[in-house]
């Protein structure tokens, strides 16, 4: 078999796997308002992950103390999702760890390190696929500027689902991108449902459909099909390059409300939006499916902070904002509102170096406001 024939065979296998994935997309949504018991999995992650997770768990135990005591909320520590264990097992999410995760309803997760050089898939990409967490949801709010953005990033397709499955031929390498009707329809519906339920009247579709005519073209077309079911909501299209410029344009950026986009563009633009808000450490992130959901900090594991002895100065704000999103997801709105108000009113500043407060000091001051 020639190199080209091997590459074509690899591509055929990928397409068959994606067709099988489409067939598994239907799942019954969990109604947390009707669940007697909710199990929250706690995953520390790597680098500064255990440090910021310690702060997040303190707050969670305070907010949910009565329900934890009554057995209505179960906090379950999930061990083994560390870079050391993943490398030792040569699995992005070790089999036994994934089994434990699937016994939970939702996850609160610290950042995990992805090995450099494409040797192993990201743990997050694996979890999104295995738990079918198709909606990455990231809010950004700057009240003083009238900015209230909500980003809906498709989470299981695009370049990421096949990013480690490309092929190489002599003198060239090819990666793949996939967009499915079912995957696009459900992320579009999630974005428009959010807009309707929260009094928003504008959804912006962000792609590069002028270049990626098949994949992004399909994404745009299906989003417009879904939009027709929400006549009270206006819809517009933007290319990712101009949208990144729009977000730093003070003249128009506060006009945007809900944005929906494919995977890669969402990864990039939500980091930009978080930086506008005050830094990637200030934003939370939700990964939501019909059965499972995962809530995490938007930033990485920051191993350099540990190397420089600055771990205690890691900012827990991002994981705490994710925790507030988790509380809303499991229908604990009152607890979520307490946490959101405390985060808004806490004046303690964590700078990531010794010039500011430690993460523990921030949490202590925050808890005084709960």
């Amino acid at each position: 078999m020639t190199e080209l024939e091997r590459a074509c065979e690899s591509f055929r296998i990928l397409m068959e796997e994606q067709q099988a994935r489409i067939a598994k997309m239907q799942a019954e949504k969990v109604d947390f308002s009707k669940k007697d018991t909710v199990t929250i999995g706690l995953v520390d992650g790597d680098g500064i992950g255990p440090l910021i997770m310690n702060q997040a768990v303190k707050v969670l135990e305070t907010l949910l103390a009565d329900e934890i005591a009554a057995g209505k909320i179960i906090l379950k520590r999930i061990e083994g999702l560390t870079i050391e264990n993943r490398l030792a097992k040569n699995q992005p999410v070790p089999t036994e760890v994934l089994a434990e995760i699937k016994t939970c309803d939702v996850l609160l997760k610290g950042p995990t390190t992805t090995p450099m050089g494409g040797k192993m898939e990201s743990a997050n990409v694996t979890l999104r696929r295995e738990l079918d967490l198709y909606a990455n949801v990231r809010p950004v709010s700057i009240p003083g500027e009238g900015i209230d953005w909500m980003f809906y990033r498709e989470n299981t397709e695009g370049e990421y689902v096949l990013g480690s499955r490309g092929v190489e031929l002599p003198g060239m390498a090819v990666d793949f991108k996939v967009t499915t009707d079912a995957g696009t329809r459900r992320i579009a519906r999630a974005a428009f449902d959010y807009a309707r339920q929260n009094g928003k009247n504008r959804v912006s579709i962000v792609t590069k459909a002028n270049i990626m005519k098949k994949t992004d073209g399909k994404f745009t077309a299906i989003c417009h099909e879904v939009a027709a079911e929400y006549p009270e909501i206006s819809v517009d299209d933007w290319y990712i390059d101009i949208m990144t410029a729009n977000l730093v344009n003070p003249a128009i950026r506060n006009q945007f409300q809900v944005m929906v986009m494919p995977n890669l563009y969402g990864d990039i633009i939500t980091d930009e939006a978080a930086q506008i808000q005050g830094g990637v450490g200030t934003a939370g992130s939700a990964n939501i499916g019909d059965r499972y959901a995962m809530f995490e900090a938007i930033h990485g594991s920051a191993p350099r902070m540990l190397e420089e002895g600055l771990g205690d100065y890691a900012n827990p704000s991002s994981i705490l904002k994710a925790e507030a999103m988790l509380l809303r997801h499991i229908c604990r709105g009152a607890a979520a509102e307490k946490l959101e108000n405390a985060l808004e009113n806490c004046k303690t500043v964590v700078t990531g170096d010794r010039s500011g407060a430690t993460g523990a000091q921030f949490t202590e001051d925050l808890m005084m406001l709960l």
Side-chain angles (χ1 to χ4, degrees):
M1 186 180 288
T2 67
E3 293 284 344
L4 181 58
E5 287 171 335
R6 274 193 286 271
C8 291
E9 175 63 14
S10 296
F11 185 70
R12 183 188 64 79
I13 292 170
L14 289 180
M15 294 302 95
E16 290 175 348
E17 289 176 356
Q18 291 307 301
Q19 287 178 325
R21 184 175 67 87
I22 293 170
K24 297 178 182 178
M25 282 187 182
Q26 299 299 324
E28 186 177 349
K29 286 191 176 183
V30 175
D31 185 349
F32 284 97
S33 68
K34 297 179 180 178
K35 280 184 70 71
D36 295 329
T37 304
V38 176
T39 300
I40 302 173
L42 305 172
V43 180
D44 282 346
D46 300 309
I48 63 171
L51 299 170
I52 61 173
M53 277 293 294
N54 282 342
Q55 308 309 319
V57 172
K58 288 178 187 176
V59 174
L60 202 59
E61 289 174 337
T62 299
L63 287 167
L64 301 177
D66 291 344
E67 289 194 272
I68 292 171
K72 294 182 178 180
I73 297 287
I74 297 171
L75 302 184
K76 182 175 183 177
R77 287 279 184 179
I78 307 292
E79 307 289 345
L81 197 65
T82 63
I83 184 63
E84 295 81 8
N85 192 42
R86 286 180 282 135
L87 287 173
K89 299 287 179 66
N90 195 30
Q91 293 178 297
V93 178
T95 303
E96 69 278 8
V97 178
L98 182 60
E100 282 294 292
I101 286 171
K102 287 185 174 181
T103 67
C104 303
D105 295 298
V106 294
L107 291 183
L108 184 65
K109 175 184 164 294
T112 46
T113 300
T114 301
M116 298 292 286
K119 296 179 181 179
M120 183 180 293
E121 185 177 62
S122 156
N124 274 1
V125 170
T126 301
L127 286 171
R128 289 164 186 165
R129 181 179 63 250
E130 293 293 334
L131 305 179
D132 201 21
L133 307 177
Y134 60 83
N136 181 247
V137 184
R138 295 184 179 181
V140 168
S141 176
I142 311 173
E145 296 188 31
I147 290 174
D148 184 17
W149 297 327
M150 184 63 80
F151 296 89
Y152 273 79
R153 164 193 171 193
E154 202 294 315
N155 216 20
T156 59
E157 300 192 350
E159 297 82 355
Y160 285 53
V161 68
L162 300 177
S164 60
R165 304 286 300 280
V167 298
E168 288 190 71
L169 295 171
M172 92 174 147
V174 180
D175 281 322
F176 302 112
K177 174 175 180 173
V178 61
T179 298
T180 69
D181 290 15
T184 303
R185 200 172 300 282
R186 64 185 184 178
I187 189 64
R189 184 158 285 113
F192 279 93
D193 280 345
Y194 172 84
R196 174 175 282 174
Q197 293 162 10
N198 290 274
K200 308 297 183 182
N201 58 20
R202 180 180 184 181
V203 172
S204 301
I205 304 165
V206 183
T207 68
K208 194 64 177 168
N210 57 332
I211 302 299
M212 308 299 290
K213 296 183 185 297
K214 295 297 184 183
T215 51
D216 286 9
K218 177 181 285 292
F219 189 94
T220 300
I222 291 175
C223 283
H224 278 280
E225 290 176 13
V226 173
E229 302 172 25
Y230 302 79
E232 77 279 16
I233 299 171
S234 66
V235 60
D236 48 24
D237 295 282
W238 297 88
Y239 297 137
I240 181 62
D241 45 357
I242 192 61
M243 181 56 86
T244 59
N246 288 340
L247 295 193
V248 293
N249 182 350
I252 65 169
R253 64 185 184 183
N254 63 359
Q255 298 172 21
F256 296 104
Q257 297 179 352
V258 181
M259 286 163 266
V260 60
M261 62 210 68
N263 206 335
L264 177 60
Y265 312 137
D267 191 6
I268 296 168
I269 205 169
T270 54
D271 277 6
E272 180 199 23
Q275 189 64 35
I276 293 168
Q277 180 178 249
V280 292
T282 67
S285 177
N287 301 270
I288 297 172
D290 293 332
R291 169 65 182 86
Y292 298 101
M294 177 173 72
F295 300 82
E296 59 185 344
I298 194 175
H299 56 73
S301 58
R304 191 173 300 171
M305 290 191 72
L306 297 186
E307 293 168 7
E308 296 175 0
L310 296 173
D312 288 342
Y313 295 88
N315 192 340
S317 295
S318 183
I319 195 71
L320 289 169
K321 288 190 175 182
E323 183 170 293
M325 297 173 76
L326 181 154
L327 290 167
R328 288 204 179 278
H329 184 74
I330 63 171
C331 299
R332 268 63 180 183
E337 188 171 355
K338 283 183 182 180
L339 178 51
E340 289 162 349
N341 289 338
L343 285 166
E344 186 174 341
N345 292 302
C346 185
K347 305 305 180 186
T348 305
V349 178
V350 181
T351 59
D353 56 35
R354 293 183 178 87
S355 67
T358 65
Q361 289 170 334
F362 176 87
T363 303
E364 183 177 337
D365 294 344
L366 179 85
M367 290 175 67
M368 294 290 289
L369 299 172
L370 291 177

